[in-house]
Amino acid sequence: MFSHVMVGSNDIERSAGFYGAVLGVLGAGEPFRDVSPSGHVRLFYRHDGSTFCVSEPIDGAPATCGNGGTIGFKCTSPEQVHAFHDAAVAAGGTSIEDPPGLRSNDKGALYLAYARDPDGNKLCALFRPRPAPKVA
């Protein structure tokens, strides 16, 4: 559905350190660094068919986070959710909402962790456990 997701940053080097640590947990390598003709720096992290980008705002205005927006990252285990969260906090992010853990509702179970990056963008690490087989 998506070709990429891009967030703005007011400090591209701080963001490079933050997202290098956080996305490294998911297996993403070093970003492709692009300098636009206007001189703005953009980082492109590519992994498993997805692209996550961080950019200095091209219009020259400060980067701001979206109110009500969340960017969700798919994890392969509860341990990876915790590692993502721990890396985010260690790299200058802020833990938000409930602590990392299992949440269940009538739609099923999700293992979640939430953090904000240094520019305030809300991130979610998410693992969907497989439902237990029904016993007849």
Side-chain angles (χ1 to χ4, degrees):
M1 179 180 288
F2 301 108
S3 66
H4 66 281
V5 172
M6 183 176 287
V7 297
S9 174
N10 293 307
D11 183 337
I12 201 75
E13 297 309 321
R14 178 184 66 191
S15 290
F18 178 84
Y19 282 108
V22 170
L23 299 180
V25 169
L26 303 179
E30 290 296 312
F32 169 73
R33 182 180 287 259
D34 176 66
V35 180
S36 70
S38 62
H40 295 88
V41 176
R42 298 180 293 183
L43 307 173
F44 295 88
Y45 295 88
R46 295 190 172 113
H47 175 65
D48 204 20
S50 298
T51 302
F52 183 79
C53 318
V54 183
S55 178
E56 295 174 324
I58 293 174
D59 65 3
T64 59
C65 59
N67 184 19
T70 302
I71 300 168
F73 292 91
K74 180 172 60 174
C75 293
T76 59
S77 67
E79 294 78 18
Q80 193 176 44
V81 169
H82 276 277
F84 181 102
H85 180 267
D86 293 348
V89 172
T94 305
S95 181
I96 58 171
E97 300 192 15
D98 292 332
L102 187 66
R103 293 160 180 74
S104 297
N105 62 34
D106 60 344
K107 296 172 186 65
L110 298 172
Y111 205 94
L112 302 169
Y114 289 96
R116 289 198 183 272
D117 75 5
D119 286 294
N121 296 295
K122 185 177 179 182
L123 311 176
C124 174
L126 181 146
F127 171 68
R128 296 179 191 274
R130 293 178 186 245
K134 294 186 178 185
V135 179

